[in-house]
Amino acid sequence: MSILEVRHLKKYFDTKAGVLHAVDDVSFSIEKGETLGIVGESGCGKSTLGRTIQHLLPATDGTILFKGRDVTKLSKKEVKDFMKEVQMIFQDPYSSLNPRMTVKQIIMEPLLIDGMKKKEAQDEVRAMMETVGLDARFENAYPNELDGGRRQRIGIARALILKPEFVICDEPVSALDVSIQAQILNLMQDLQEQLGLTYIFVTHDLSVVKYISNKIAVMYLGNLVEYADTEELFANPQHPYTQALLASVPTTDLAKVQEIEIIPGEITSPIEPGPGCRFASRCRHASEKCTCLQPELIKSGESHQVACHLFGGQEG
Ligand SMILES: Nc1ncnc2c1ncn2[C@@H]1O[C@H](COP(=O)(O)OP(=O)(O)OP(=O)(O)O)[C@@H](O)[C@H]1O
Ligand SMILES: [Mg+2]
């Protein structure tokens, strides 16, 4: 059984301009101990997907099976337990950490809220600081007194203090210097092995995702357009969007893709999008069919799925 299985998940937002399809019919599964990388340009729905899985946002439709149970249908008490098991690590540890609390207080807070006695919680915090490589002398420091790498170690310690099984990492190294990035990525891999964690790793950096993930999901405007083992995806990208990202992008940083217009053509609006493939307006292979029928994600290889009319004999 997969630790997480997402089926036809939708998250829509009502906006003044209309209904925004941030996550639109996304399905995938993750095995225990794996890392699933989620990539795609800014605004494609990566963070919304993570927040919906973690129950921070209610799903519009679809199911989220965590260890076989549908998370969208839990009671209040069950949600509380679920949210302990699934934690998040954020991009900017600075804005996600309370600047008026000390390192010790920040890491301890989830334990106290959970009802642990202060004495016991203090011991847990000391052990966790050691686990994430934070020297005990920083216990009474404030986040702004520490550098970016150490601040992210606090974020990681706080996320892990309740012993979750599943961690959703939203751009956890994007705000860090490259040299520090490697340290934090290594730490996260060590912790994964030590603690048997499963990760969703959201990033716009292809080199980071290649390094850390077993599998990769490529998102485009709320849709999952390709899903494959990491090596397979880099060796044999099938979706024209993935191909364009991997082949012609001089930078591995997807945040820069829109800026430098590597992929020409108009980007479809996520607000009440039309019936066709959302990438059609930028795709050099697009046919009539692509503009009127949305391709489904289908198996296209041993460990490979793609949503494109060029595959699976779906051409008219
Ligand atoms: N609370 C909200 N209300 C309305 N629209 C939202 C809300 N949160 C996100 N969106 C919209 O949903 C879409 C997906 O946003 P999301 O933040 O998930 O993208 P992302 O892939 O994480 O982008 P980035 O790489 O910039 O972090 C965007 O069009 C965004 O404007
Ligand atoms: Mg985001």
Side-chain angles (χ1 to χ4, degrees):
M1 182 175 67
S2 306
I3 186 164
L4 178 78
E5 192 177 338
V6 172
R7 290 191 198 143
H8 304 294
L9 186 65
K10 295 182 183 170
K11 178 61 198 174
Y12 294 175
F13 295 108
D14 284 319
T15 71
K16 279 195 188 120
V19 181
L20 191 151
H21 296 216
V23 173
D24 211 357
D25 203 359
V26 165
S27 302
F28 62 85
S29 60
I30 311 176
E31 307 307 313
K32 188 170 170 59
E34 276 189 340
T35 299
L36 172 70
I38 299 186
V39 299
E41 289 160 274
S42 184
C44 70
K46 304 180 296 294
S47 295
T48 304
L49 177 63
R51 292 168 64 83
T52 308
I53 291 171
Q54 213 219 348
H55 226 284
L56 293 172
L57 291 170
T60 303
D61 199 11
T63 51
I64 301 164
L65 298 170
F66 183 70
K67 297 198 278 185
R69 299 182 64 200
D70 188 353
V71 173
T72 61
K73 297 195 172 70
L74 298 180
S75 69
K76 262 196 183 148
K77 160 86 177 67
E78 289 169 325
V79 166
K80 233 183 113 196
D81 289 338
F82 167 77
M83 290 183 86
K84 276 196 261 175
E85 288 190 85
V86 179
Q87 295 284 329
M88 257 180 133
I89 299 172
F90 300 94
Q91 167 169 8
D92 183 358
Y94 197 55
S95 63
S96 61
L97 303 175
N98 187 335
R100 284 179 293 280
M101 285 165 76
T102 64
V103 171
K104 185 166 78 178
Q105 287 169 335
I106 291 170
I107 303 172
M108 188 156 34
E109 191 180 40
L111 290 175
L112 298 181
I113 291 173
D114 195 44
M116 191 181 275
K117 291 268 171 0
K118 199 163 177 189
K119 175 82 186 58
E120 196 183 335
Q122 267 171 347
D123 294 342
E124 293 273 327
V125 170
R126 292 214 177 96
M128 181 52 76
M129 284 181 68
E130 196 176 334
T131 304
V132 302
L134 266 177
D135 199 291
R137 73 194 147 101
F138 296 121
E139 223 181 52
N140 296 314
Y142 290 88
N144 68 348
E145 296 169 337
L146 304 183
D147 61 37
R150 291 203 177 94
R151 283 204 294 261
Q152 192 53 293
R153 286 175 200 265
I154 306 172
I156 294 171
R158 186 179 156 101
L160 298 185
I161 196 78
L162 291 173
K163 303 189 168 53
E165 281 188 56
F166 199 102
V167 185
I168 299 174
C169 317
D170 195 347
E171 309 265 13
V173 298
S174 306
L176 304 174
D177 292 345
V178 174
S179 59
I180 311 282
Q181 280 191 9
Q183 288 175 20
I184 297 293
L185 289 173
N186 287 336
L187 171 68
M188 292 181 69
Q189 277 187 329
D190 290 346
L191 292 170
Q192 178 170 43
E193 233 164 80
Q194 246 177 66
L195 307 171
L197 300 171
T198 308
Y199 289 146
I200 281 185
F201 199 103
V202 170
T203 179
H204 54 75
D205 191 324
L206 291 172
S207 55
V208 167
V209 85
K210 187 175 185 179
Y211 177 76
I212 194 105
S213 315
N214 309 96
K215 287 182 180 158
I216 297 180
V218 182
M219 286 185 72
Y220 188 79
L221 278 180
N223 294 145
L224 208 169
V225 296
E226 190 158 359
Y227 180 80
D229 285 356
T230 301
E231 275 179 31
E232 164 69 11
L233 188 93
F234 278 88
N236 181 27
Q238 294 177 339
H239 197 284
Y241 175 62
T242 316
Q243 287 175 357
L245 289 181
L246 300 190
S248 58
V249 181
T251 164
T252 56
D253 189 346
L254 299 185
K256 301 205 175 97
V257 170
Q258 284 183 350
E259 256 168 58
I260 54 182
E261 287 194 57
I262 281 300
I263 305 171
E266 196 150 326
I267 300 168
T268 305
S269 166
I271 294 169
E272 288 163 22
C277 171
R278 282 174 206 174
F279 187 60
S281 61
R282 294 167 90 190
C283 182
R284 60 197 168 98
H285 303 289
S287 65
E288 178 84 38
K289 183 175 184 182
C290 302
T291 58
C292 53
L293 182 68
Q294 189 168 15
E296 281 181 40
L297 191 72
I298 55 152
K299 193 167 160 73
S300 57
E302 185 48 36
S303 63
H304 213 137
Q305 294 173 52
V306 69
C308 176
H309 289 309
L310 292 171
F311 289 86
Q314 288 186 26
E315 279 101 325

